[in-house]
Amino acid sequence: MSAVAKRASAGLRLVAAPFLNTRPLISGLQASLPPDVSLELCSPAEGARRLAERECDLALLPVAALARQGDLVAVPDVCIGSRHKVGSVLLVADVPLHELTTVALDQSSRTSVTLARLLLRERRATRGEPRYEARPPSELVGCVEGTRGAVIIGDPALQALSARSFQYTYDLAELWRALTGKPFVFAVWAGRADAVDAEVCALLARSLGHGLERLDEIAADAGRHGVAPERARHYLREELWFRLDDNMIAGADEYLGRAAAARLLPPARLRLFDGTTPSVDVAAAVSRAADGGRLNAAEITAMLEGADLIELGAAANRRRATLNPDGVVSYIVERNINYTNICVTACRFCAFFRNPGDTDEGYVLSREEMGQKIRETVDAGGVQILLQGGLNPELPLTWYEDLFRHLKATYPIKLHALSPEEILYLCRLESLPLETVLQRLVAAGLDSLPGGGAEILVDRVRARIAKLKCTSSQWLEVMRVGHRLGLRSSSTMMFACGETLPERTEHLLKLRDLQDETGGFTAFICWPFQPGNTRLPGGDGSAHAYLRTLATARLALDNIPHLQASWPTMGAAVGQAALHFGADDFGQVMFEENVVSAAGTIYKMDVAGIERHVRAAGFKPVQRDMRYGRLTS
Ligand code: SF4
């Protein structure tokens, strides 16, 4: 199956920068885009971010970003490079290179910044590097004075020499050629292995062919890039080179090798699509993952699709036993308090919310009502409150701050509160930055963040099931900033809500990527969508599908220490089975639950029930706190 066909429901998502030098590569796509392919234009740094966060499948990617993301496959035969001079990557100054004390850079262009630093190190061996100063692109030309130079790139570089003259103009591709004898590659089409196949490569090669036949037309239209047509014609025909031939590949590998040796980029080589679709040996991947080996996207999807369930479960169990070795299954005594059901978001899968103005069924709990629930929880040995609710426009940030301060001053409990959606809503309501809202909530007593509202972290799915909810990258950003502030959080996945299996994989990998970055997720919980009383049809939420997804998640999320069994949705018996399919935690004592139960699924358990079920499954129950510290032995 081709990558295009495989992603048929989401389409093949391409991104490229809107520069003059990309137009020969994308003009064919723009002239005739296949129906299942989309092309969006954004800055190279944004393209790299989208590829890293799996918001696109292929990007016209700066070579430095290729090194930073690793594990990417480049499309053969197509690139943006230069064999001699390029004219659009310049170091400009009013003093010679060896007299520069400061160089201003646009830090978002890591390929050119790294190239400039490599060249400056070489050319100024005895003087060392100058000081580097980050500046927005619009300020670079104007800031050149005295011993301060600037690296200017792309269309602004082509415009700069007609706008202002400099005493010294160094063409970095020309300096590179002089240093190495090799050409330079600035960007290639690249994506993950499961997104690049012969059909995609042919599509992009055709698009380049279309562009190369129309270089004069593109040059004639270069005024929209601020470049005179004659200059553009010379640039496109004489200075740029669009064929990723053997010489260009050697140039790219030379750059990556030198940048790694200088510790400016992680070690990498250009890895080209070799004409074969990678076949997956599922049994070998399962066995490797059981020993802690990292899975790629194709392997995870193959496990979700059809690995032998018993072998998959045994591998997940082995991995669980390595990560949590002493036969213990933890659980927490906490209470889920849904402080309001008023919500402006109206998710299609939600049976819990009521619209603002619903005076019959809408509610906001009073402090007294919350206090009574908390007292019952503390009396039963509870250590934490999970506080979540709808997005209620009547509740400002100060309402939460006052509530948190009151609760922390009155009761001996931790506050595990407000999912990313609620945090983002407060940012919008108060017109405050995310970091400020989180800092104020932490100052008021917030201890940790629940991972609710992740559903499937793929925007195509989110737009379908909850189109007013935050995007996947916004959800991840709340967690990223929260983790940076020292908060810990859980992570979740609600599957069987209309996603494809590659999209389920994409969700898992986004969590794994963020965990690599922050280490802030303590646990992962997944459950199938409960369609009762909602406007959304459900997918396969069977015990079989749940156990397969759970076991695959245990193997895929090699950096998240704990997985919870979701007995509140699946029932106690499946919850016990989950403990043999990768889960090491039995979740929470269920005093009350209002969201899933609104969809008709109601399983509850007290401490005795949890301990009985855990022991009957062959494990020793131990109470824990949010950070998985043990409270009983
Ligand atoms: S899931 Fe949350 S955000 Fe969506 S409607 Fe229900 S309460 Fe509101």
Side-chain angles (χ1 to χ4, degrees), residues 478-530:
V478 173
M479 291 306 187
R480 179 178 286 114
V481 175
H483 293 172
R484 202 167 63 221
L485 294 176
L487 292 168
R488 290 295 166 262
S489 71
S490 52
S491 59
T492 63
M493 174 168 77
M494 182 184 78
F495 63 94
C497 58
E499 78 284 6
T500 61
L501 292 182
E503 285 170 336
R504 207 176 288 180
T505 297
E506 193 171 324
H507 176 102
L508 294 172
L509 291 180
K510 282 180 177 173
L511 295 179
R512 189 175 79 182
D513 288 349
L514 185 59
Q515 181 73 345
D516 276 345
E517 190 185 322
T518 67
F521 290 126
T522 54
F524 171 80
I525 314 122
C526 67
W527 65 92
F529 164 58
Q530 307 296 303

Side-chain angles (χ1 to χ4, degrees), residues 329 573 575-577 579-580 586 611-620:
V329 164
Q576 286 175 309
L579 299 178
H580 298 275
F586 220 55
E611 299 216 340
R612 194 174 61 251
H613 281 92
V614 168
R615 280 204 185 88
F619 296 93
K620 182 180 170 205

